[in-house]
Amino acid sequence: METKLIAKNPNAHHNYNIKNTIEVGIELTGTEIKSIRNGKINLKDSYAIIKNGEVLVYGIHISPYEFGNIYNKDPLRTRKLLLHKHEINKLFGQVQQQGVSLIPVSAYFKGSRVKLELGIGTGKKLYDKREDLKKKDAEMYIKRHLDI
């Protein structure tokens, strides 16, 4: 099946050490789908939690569809993620470990459906972020001077 990237979370790999990822569906309304097809989605400050046996995602901003009128929903509403019960139980076990978070890494179309790539990771300390920036700068410097 063909996949088409819609949006990436720019803070996901900067603020978290992502151990592994899982593909999940997301519960959306018709006007939200139309808005996403126009590229009006932002994952920047989003996160997911497990509550009452369901996985909920907070902070995903989907702009209102311009022709949606009364059918538009709140852009920052809480949305339910679609997983099997055994997958939720597995995630719940991992989240119980201290410092483990669920972070949406990217959103994409798989066929005609919108999917989220949900990352399972731990938060980085400030010195880890600085170290990553140093490595990135060094790699860019080397690449720039070798390509000349």
Side-chain angles (χ1 to χ4, degrees):
M1 220 179 261
E2 184 181 332
T3 61
K4 179 185 171 194
L5 184 67
I6 305 166
K8 291 184 88 169
N9 188 345
N11 293 342
H13 290 287
H14 178 70
N15 292 334
Y16 297 93
N17 288 320
I18 306 293
K19 295 177 190 169
N20 56 357
T21 60
I22 184 170
E23 178 184 84
V24 298
I26 184 168
E27 189 176 69
L28 298 169
T29 63
T31 55
E32 288 175 331
I33 292 288
K34 289 181 179 188
S35 186
I36 288 172
R37 288 194 190 282
N38 291 335
K40 308 281 181 145
I41 184 171
N42 186 354
L43 302 174
K44 189 171 183 178
D45 295 326
S46 58
Y47 63 96
I49 62 168
I50 300 173
K51 191 176 193 179
N52 298 330
E54 296 179 336
V55 182
L56 303 173
V57 67
Y58 295 90
I60 292 181
H61 187 277
I62 299 175
S63 298
Y65 183 58
E66 57 188 79
F67 304 112
N69 296 332
I70 62 169
Y71 300 107
N72 281 329
K73 301 287 185 192
D74 179 29
L76 287 172
R77 74 181 180 94
T78 304
R79 293 171 180 89
K80 185 176 168 183
L81 296 181
L82 307 173
L83 291 121
H84 290 285
K85 196 67 165 177
H86 65 89
E87 293 174 323
I88 294 172
N89 291 336
K90 184 178 174 184
L91 283 178
F92 187 71
Q94 291 176 346
V95 169
Q96 289 303 312
Q97 299 173 13
Q98 189 171 5
V100 176
S101 302
L102 299 173
I103 307 99
V105 177
S106 64
Y108 54 92
F109 283 111
K110 187 172 185 182
S112 63
R113 304 197 186 268
V114 176
K115 300 287 184 178
L116 277 181
E117 184 178 15
L118 193 64
I120 302 152
T122 55
K124 287 184 184 178
K125 303 285 185 202
L126 184 60
Y127 55 84
D128 289 334
K129 294 178 190 178
R130 286 188 192 134
E131 197 64 36
D132 285 347
L133 288 174
K134 286 180 189 176
K135 286 180 187 176
K136 188 176 177 182
D137 285 345
E139 288 171 5
M140 287 182 67
Y141 180 81
I142 291 169
K143 185 177 177 184
R144 200 176 300 133
H145 284 64
L146 287 178
D147 289 343
I148 294 175

